[in-house]
Amino acid sequence: MTVLFRRAELGDRPALLYLCRTAFTVDPKPGDWRWKYDENPRRAVSVVAVDEGRVIGFFGAMGTRYRGAAGDLPGTSAVDVMTDPGARALGKTALFKELGDAFRRINAATGIPFDFGFPHERARKIEERLLGCVTIEPCGEWGLPFETPSLLGRLRRGLLRLREDSRFGAAHEFLAEKLHARAGWRTDRSAAVLAWRFSRPGVSYRVFQLLDLRGRSRGFAVTTVRDGRTLLVDLQVADEASPDLADLVGGVHETLRRTHAGRLVARSPRGGLLAARLREELGFASEPSDTVLLVRAFDPDFDLMAAGRTFDYRFSDHDVF
């Protein structure tokens, strides 16, 4: 077969929704696709495979920017990767590899140095073998039961400037500057990107912001409930070594423990300061995870392993949350 690999266009959407329904046997939500691909303020290039006018493959891009002390670069995660089950007779393995290579080639031309994703074990093996992806680590996840006694003393609770507020406005920019100047790499945490990220249709998020005396954000936490667990979808503080982390996590735990059952769960790099403090100071325990952090080089001169080892991920970097 002669397959054309090209940039996905808006006019491909009906065919892509049909492909998703065929490949995953689920009914895709058009609103979720609009949110992910049309409304994201950071764009990257999704790629389709077309055989005789029929879309038989898709490699989705959820665009971002990689931010850190070393720079500000365009970036993307790979999402909604699918091929038509009928393509097996046409050489499905070769199709997947060629689709992935086209995705890398087209996005490399836009300046993206690498992509990342969070596959399960079976997908990890396939992507390593066919696409040259590299596993950095099994995702670190840490949980704290809500029945755990309060992490905050009575006096501390009274002084805490924790506000539940979904708006990421001017008060957030102080924190964004701190996060984006930190060593290592992370995805964009600007106010515009966060406002989009937590506006996903059909998903309920609660946003908690820790403020200083001038009304600037010193940290924020975003939660959602999934499968009986309350996920800290994002958790950021200006200084992870400061008391702000305990105040923020303690305040969220204290607020939610009155109405929530189960556990409060965070995701972060296993060797990071955040994970160490959650475990050693705040009583979080390691949780099982069925996903890994996977990266793939687009620019052969970019130090992929250094970027992967310092990539400061959270649940919100994974499109399924």
Side-chain angles (χ1 to χ4, degrees), residues 67-89:
R67 308 295 296 267
D72 176 3
L73 302 172
T76 189
S77 60
V79 298
D80 296 324
V81 178
M82 65 188 91
T83 56
D84 189 323
R88 292 192 181 104

Side-chain angles (χ1 to χ4, degrees), residues 184-200:
W185 295 98
R186 63 211 37 83
T187 57
D188 195 333
R189 292 306 196 282
S190 64
V193 168
L194 292 177
W196 160 78
R197 179 61 183 84
F198 300 116
S199 67
R200 186 173 201 158

